[in-house]
Amino acid sequence: MCGIAGWVAFERDPGAERSAVEAMTDTMACRGPDAEGVWYGSHIALGHRRLAVIDLAGGAQPMTAEEDGEVAAVISYSGEVYNFAELRNRLRSAGHSFRTESDTEVVLRSYLEWGTDFTRRLTGMFAFALWDARSRELLLVRDRLGIKPLYYYPTSDGVLFGSEPKAILAHPEARARLNSAGLRELMTWVNTPGHAIFDGMFQVRPGHLVRVARGEMTETAYWGLQARPHDDDFDTTVSRVRALLQAAVAGQTVADVPLCSLLSGGLDSSSVAALAAEALRPSGKPPLRCFSVGFAPSGEAIPVSGGSPLTDDAGYAAKLAGHIGAHHESLVLDAKLLSDPAARAAVLRARDLPQGLADMDTSLYLLFRSIRQRSTVALSGEGADELFGGYPWFHDEQATRAQTFPWMYAAGAGAARAPAFLDPALPERLSLDEYRADSYADAVAAVPVLPGEPEHDRRMRTVNHLFLTRFLPMLLERKDRMSMAVGLEVRVPFCDHSLVEYVFNVPWSMKSFDGREKSLLRAAMAPDLPEPILTRKKEPYPTIADPAYDQLLKGRLGELMDDAGAPVRALMDEKSAAEAFATVQKASPEELRFLRVGFESLIKINDWMRDYQVELAE
């Protein structure tokens, strides 16, 4: 998978400031524990940390390509291009020769053959920096769905870039600065494409390419969802969906290291695991290994093999594993593990931001840490809910007709009842309502239009687009950070762009033909899954219900409230914070669990501001 970092400076020589480049690259060690390298050229430094997955011996980076004995291009690459074997054959026919078996060299040679149009030929998840030594320009490229992250920070004479903000912030010219625009983004769930929270920092948007030349920086889209008529009948659509998913899963089982599958026993993960087991069966490799997570009361055993009666997920997962001939293990977590300061600090450090899903982030991190002891690559069912309409919001007409993001409409009532630790005047001062409304209008304006489409289908296309372009990227970033923090590569077959393009244009009436969530996916996977899995109602990612967890967090909150120097106090109002704390103090265990999201978020923001030495702009 790997982590990348680098610096282009057209008025300086980054090679003369190697300590800065090495510090940036070192921050990516978690993403690439197997090897490291830095390449220096005129005005450019490319850093790389490698997680070896394909061509373990020959895929070292940064990688160069020569023409006429001179370096023509250099790449620092993160990700996997699944169609690299096909592209390599085409490139060989065009006269290119290869010295490795890696997909990295295929990407590099593809650029030399087809120029910037090469991005359209790549199938996979990737983010990379490619330096054209002939024209002295840098290309920053991100995959179509934004599975792999890539950030950049323009400077007075060039740009800093990296897989994660921490790589950029390790450079002395970058500052962890939070202005009003960053606060607005931090306090909402609008997830503006390209926004990076930190002042002066940006993300390369999914399906985009950023070109950096002397005195010039441009960003262009090479892919986006398009509205097209769907002419296939129902049976053809079902068959086509299964074929596309089958091809995506099979293509993503290619690895020169141990591979496993995440398995909750729900429809999404079970579909991926079943098709992966099918794809691996002819290879003669050992049975597919599958992993799930569950929770136990404080003090109970942690690792459990073969499923656990403590969680519904483990039972369903074990049933599916038996059906497909896979080996299943369940990791059971308790309050002590989830509240461990070291684990929580690792999660914050992985994310670089206080955004997240509270204990669900920590449990995912701990699950991935355990999996990494057994496998290097894991398959995941992420993306199915957004693509096939799995969330309750898709089936709530009030939510789909609300003039806001559906996930905000559903959360509105709960947020209004929660006590306010942050200054209650902040939303008005930052014009958060206006910001949400403007962001929603921008998101809707980006939805492609199909002439003559019925109103209901048009509305559901809009909802589908919002989830794919605004909601899914948040979950993909979460999964990338929690997995790469322990050097685990997670692949997401439901985000295969061919599958996404096809299903996006299937009319909603066909996607929900029997009135259930993900009806079309259920129909497509009916031949492969046992009935209990196929008919299981969607359940959210599990969260801990142990009162001990909330009591431990409550103790952390008390420490924060007693700390007059806590950085987050700059965003708090003393009176309202005291009232909120009093509410938490007298809350019952059931009420405390409801209040958890608010005060756990406050703790996380404070830790972030302290650890990253965040500056608040006036």
Side-chain angles (χ1 to χ4, degrees):
M1 179 50 60
C2 310
I4 68 175
W7 179 19
V8 170
F10 289 103
E11 302 299 331
R12 286 173 288 174
D13 176 16
E17 301 180 50
R18 298 196 174 201
S19 61
V21 178
E22 290 167 1
M24 295 174 70
T25 305
D26 286 346
T27 64
M28 295 293 93
C30 59
R31 300 184 71 93
D34 296 329
E36 63 180 309
V38 180
W39 185 88
Y40 295 96
S42 178
H43 306 301
I44 174 76
L46 284 175
H48 188 265
R49 293 288 312 212
R50 187 184 184 206
L51 176 65
V53 173
I54 300 290
D55 188 11
L56 306 189
Q61 295 188 52
M63 187 176 289
T64 61
E66 291 75 32
E67 286 184 343
D68 301 323
E70 299 287 338
V71 172
V74 190
I75 191 170
S76 186
Y77 166 82
S78 168
E80 306 290 348
V81 168
Y82 303 121
N83 64 333
F84 75 97
E86 170 195 337
L87 290 173
R88 184 168 54 209
N89 289 336
R90 295 183 64 181
L91 289 164
R92 277 177 173 152
S93 298
H96 291 266
S97 59
F98 292 84
R99 60 180 183 268
T100 76
E101 296 298 316
S102 70
D103 58 332
T104 304
E105 189 175 14
V106 171
V107 174
L108 192 53
R109 287 282 164 186
S110 294
Y111 170 71
L112 294 179
E113 177 66 22
W114 295 301
T116 55
D117 204 41
F118 78 125
T119 52
R120 304 176 191 275
R121 301 172 185 265
L122 307 179
T123 296
M125 56 178 191
F126 48 82
F128 56 85
L130 191 153
W131 174 253
D132 190 322
R134 304 162 302 183
S135 61
R136 294 193 178 182
E137 62 183 29
L138 176 75
L139 302 180
L140 300 174
V141 181
R142 195 172 178 203
D143 66 65
R144 294 167 179 82
L145 273 295
I147 304 167
K148 292 292 104 184
L150 184 54
Y151 292 78
Y152 64 102
Y153 188 101
T155 64
S156 60
D157 66 337
V159 69
L160 304 168
F161 56 90
S163 293
E164 300 177 10
K166 65 174 65 69
I168 293 170
L169 294 175
H171 192 282
E173 287 192 24
R175 298 168 66 186
R177 186 177 171 86
L178 185 67
N179 61 15
S180 296
L183 263 175
R184 292 187 188 100
E185 195 72 16
L186 193 62
M187 295 181 67
T188 63
W189 280 61
V190 302
N191 198 33
T192 304
H195 209 295
I197 307 295
F198 293 107
D199 185 23
M201 190 183 297
F202 305 90
Q203 289 194 63
V204 178
R205 289 182 285 173
H208 280 65
L209 179 153
V210 173
R211 174 180 169 272
V212 182
R214 183 183 289 272
E216 181 183 7
M217 182 178 296
T218 57
E219 184 174 15
T220 56
Y222 68 87
W223 183 86
L225 285 167
Q226 302 296 320
R228 299 186 180 93
H230 184 78
D231 298 323
D232 292 343
D233 61 22
F234 178 75
D235 290 341
T236 302
T237 300
V238 169
S239 298
R240 182 67 174 150
V241 167
R242 189 193 182 281
L244 285 168
L245 182 58
Q246 181 184 37
V249 172
Q252 296 186 30
T253 59
V254 176
D256 296 333
V257 292
L259 175 140
C260 68
S261 192
L262 308 180
L263 181 60
S264 69
L267 176 63
D268 310 341
S269 63
S270 296
S271 298
V272 171
L275 293 176
E278 174 188 287
L280 291 172
R281 206 165 286 128
S283 69
K285 294 181 179 180
L288 179 70
R289 300 189 74 174
C290 301
F291 297 93
S292 58
V293 66
F295 301 100
S298 297
E300 296 209 10
I302 299 165
V304 179
S305 297
S308 164
L310 294 170
T311 65
D312 288 334
D313 276 0
Y316 280 103
K319 186 181 294 291
L320 190 279
H323 180 75
I324 64 175
H327 175 75
H328 171 246
E329 295 181 50
S330 179
L331 174 70
V332 180
L333 306 174
D334 63 16
K336 185 177 180 181
L337 273 171
L338 288 169
S339 58
D340 176 28
R344 292 170 62 84
V347 169
L348 180 60
R349 184 63 181 165
R351 296 211 68 158
D352 288 324
L353 292 168
Q355 293 173 313
L357 298 174
D359 66 283
M360 291 184 280
D361 284 352
T362 311
S363 67
L364 193 63
Y365 167 80
L366 293 170
L367 172 65
F368 287 158
R369 190 175 69 180
S370 179
I371 291 174
R372 184 62 177 90
Q373 298 171 11
R374 303 156 173 86
S375 294
T376 307
V377 176
L379 300 174
S380 168
E382 204 79 78
D385 286 316
E386 293 79 10
L387 187 57
F388 288 95
Y391 295 119
W393 303 309
F394 279 93
H395 308 274
D396 180 343
E397 187 169 0
Q398 287 184 310
T400 61
R401 288 191 177 277
Q403 295 302 300
T404 189
F405 298 99
W407 52 93
M408 289 186 184
Y409 170 82
R417 295 195 303 270
F421 280 96
L422 296 183
D423 187 348
L426 266 179
E428 184 176 353
R429 192 159 73 237
L430 294 172
S431 304
L432 290 189
D433 287 342
E434 182 180 350
Y435 186 69
R436 290 188 187 95
D438 290 346
S439 298
Y440 176 73
D442 290 343
V444 170
V447 179
V449 175
L450 183 65
E453 188 170 34
E455 189 276 335
H456 182 67
D457 284 338
R458 165 65 180 163
R459 174 160 50 89
M460 294 311 295
R461 180 188 295 278
T462 297
V463 172
N464 198 194
H465 196 273
L466 294 176
F467 273 97
L468 288 170
T469 59
R470 296 289 184 123
F471 197 80
L472 177 59
M474 291 188 282
L475 300 185
L476 291 174
E477 181 149 337
R478 167 181 177 253
K479 186 147 284 185
D480 172 84
R481 298 304 182 79
M482 294 303 99
S483 60
M484 293 309 296
V486 296
L488 177 72
E489 174 177 302
V490 174
R491 299 175 178 178
V492 282
F494 280 108
C495 293
D496 174 83
H497 76 275
S498 296
L499 175 65
V500 171
E501 289 172 346
Y502 184 81
V503 177
F504 176 68
N505 283 297
V506 175
W508 179 249
S509 57
M510 196 176 288
K511 287 182 186 175
S512 59
F513 68 91
D514 63 0
R516 297 197 63 186
E517 78 275 2
K518 294 181 284 196
S519 306
L520 182 57
L521 179 59
R522 293 180 196 277
M525 293 304 300
D528 304 272
L529 302 178
E531 191 67 16
I533 303 294
L534 201 63
T535 58
R536 185 186 181 192
K537 184 176 177 61
K538 174 180 171 54
E539 295 181 15
Y541 183 85
T543 183
I544 189 168
D546 188 348
Y549 178 75
D550 296 306
Q551 289 297 330
L552 288 167
L553 283 184
K554 185 177 172 181
R556 286 287 315 279
L557 177 63
E559 293 171 5
L560 188 158
M561 297 300 294
D562 288 339
D563 183 3
V568 77
R569 286 187 177 274
L571 300 174
M572 295 169 66
D573 172 75
E574 292 298 326
K575 181 181 178 182
S576 63
E579 292 173 352
F581 185 53
T583 300
V584 170
Q585 289 288 81
K586 64 185 180 183
S588 67
E590 292 76 18
E591 293 169 332
L592 196 60
R593 187 181 177 198
F594 168 76
L595 299 173
R596 177 200 299 173
V597 173
F599 68 79
E600 186 164 9
S601 176
L602 183 78
I603 294 169
K604 188 176 289 188
I605 292 172
N606 186 70
D607 291 346
W608 172 67
M609 294 181 70
R610 180 197 64 218
D611 295 352
Y612 282 75
Q613 299 182 338
V614 175
E615 306 171 29
L616 290 177
E618 294 297 329

